[in-house]
Structures are given as structure tokens and as C-alpha cells.
Amino acid sequence: MGLFDWIFGKKKKDYLIEWEDRYSVGIIEIDAQHRRLFEIYNNLIEAMYQGVGVKELGNALNELLEYAVVHFMTEEGYMQKYGYPGYDAHKNVHKEFRERFYGLHKEFHEGKPVLTAEVTEYLRDWLKNHVLNMDQKYAPHLKKAGAR
């Protein structure tokens, strides 16, 4: 067991998210963005386990936050365009995540040790569960309405 395995209490592979077909919502742009979100998240985990400097970790965290915001805007745009009835609830879930992530981001840049096992598990679980549960709910409506 390596130092970071010991620090985080789990092996790196336990934190990584591997793309599987079950994550697909069947809409090309959204699936591509989900894959990219998983990739950026995995890059953050890799950086943590490699023990890179604070600047590199900050860059990885910034990229994840920025891309998540872009992705949420894309999803919400699709939901509005195709009249998804669960739009408001879904948008609120995005808002709650953004607010929590902004808080973590701010604390990190203030020098607080926020990239802990608990935070990485939260990010991993939120991303996986959001795509598998919340996003899968809008997929049938969007596809039926014409989204591809």
C-alpha cells in the first residue's frame, strides 16, 4: 500500500470512475460531456495520488468546476428546449452542487485542506449517482421530443 492509499484509506482505483454504457443518456453531446466530466474528475484523483503541488491540484479543481458549470448549462438548455417537466427540480440539484463545490473551491484556494477522502468520495458519488439517477430521468423525455 502506497502513502496516498494509506492517507485516503482506499486505493486510487476505488476513486476513479470508469465510463460504462449504463451512464449513457443516449444524447451525443450530453454523453460526451459526461465522459469529459469523468475524465476531469479522474485527472484530479490522479493528481492527488501523484502528490503534485498545490498549483496543479488547484488547476485540476478549477477545470472540474468550470466544466461542471458548462455541462449544467448544456443540460438545462436541452431540458428547456424540449420542455422537460422536471426541469426546475433538476436545475435546483445542479444549483446545490454548484454552491457546495464553490465552497470547496474557495476553501481550497484559501489554503484549507479540503481535498480529503470524504470530499473525493462525495464528488465521485455525486457524479455517478447524478448521471445514473437524475439524468436518466430526463433522457426518455428528451429523446422522445427529438433530442439526439
Side-chain angles (χ1 to χ4, degrees):
M1 180 181 270
L3 176 62
F4 284 90
D5 295 329
W6 178 77
I7 290 171
F8 292 115
K10 291 186 180 179
K11 295 198 174 292
K12 176 176 63 177
K13 69 176 181 61
D14 296 330
Y15 289 107
L16 298 174
I17 304 172
E18 186 175 324
W19 181 265
E20 299 171 15
D21 288 342
R22 67 189 179 125
Y23 294 116
S24 175
V25 296
I27 299 167
I28 295 168
E29 182 177 22
I30 293 175
D31 283 342
Q33 287 186 356
H34 285 155
R35 284 176 184 262
R36 182 68 182 134
L37 273 172
F38 287 7
E39 180 184 334
I40 295 168
Y41 163 82
N42 287 339
N43 290 343
L44 175 63
I45 297 302
E46 290 286 347
M48 290 170 67
Y49 271 82
Q50 289 173 10
V52 301
V54 172
K55 181 178 179 183
E56 290 83 3
L57 279 177
N59 290 341
L61 194 62
N62 291 347
E63 184 179 13
L64 183 58
L65 176 60
E66 290 169 7
Y67 199 79
V69 169
V70 167
H71 170 65
F72 292 164
M73 289 171 41
T74 300
E75 269 190 352
E76 291 167 13
Y78 271 91
M79 286 185 266
Q80 282 185 306
K81 178 179 179 178
Y82 294 103
Y84 177 58
Y87 168 76
D88 289 332
H90 201 113
K91 184 175 179 177
N92 284 335
V93 170
H94 285 169
K95 181 181 177 210
E96 290 168 11
F97 178 80
R98 252 190 334 268
E99 288 171 357
R100 175 136 190 227
F101 203 156
Y102 278 134
L104 294 170
H105 182 266
K106 182 176 182 273
E107 288 179 15
F108 177 84
H109 287 286
E110 290 171 349
K112 297 177 182 169
V114 297
L115 291 177
T116 63
E118 178 184 341
V119 169
T120 54
E121 286 177 358
Y122 163 76
L123 290 172
R124 177 201 62 206
D125 293 346
W126 193 93
L127 287 168
K128 287 172 66 172
N129 292 328
H130 185 77
V131 173
L132 287 173
N133 298 312
M134 292 293 294
D135 291 352
Q136 293 300 330
K137 288 179 183 175
Y138 69 61
H141 176 89
L142 268 58
K143 289 189 288 189
K144 185 177 180 182
R148 301 284 171 246

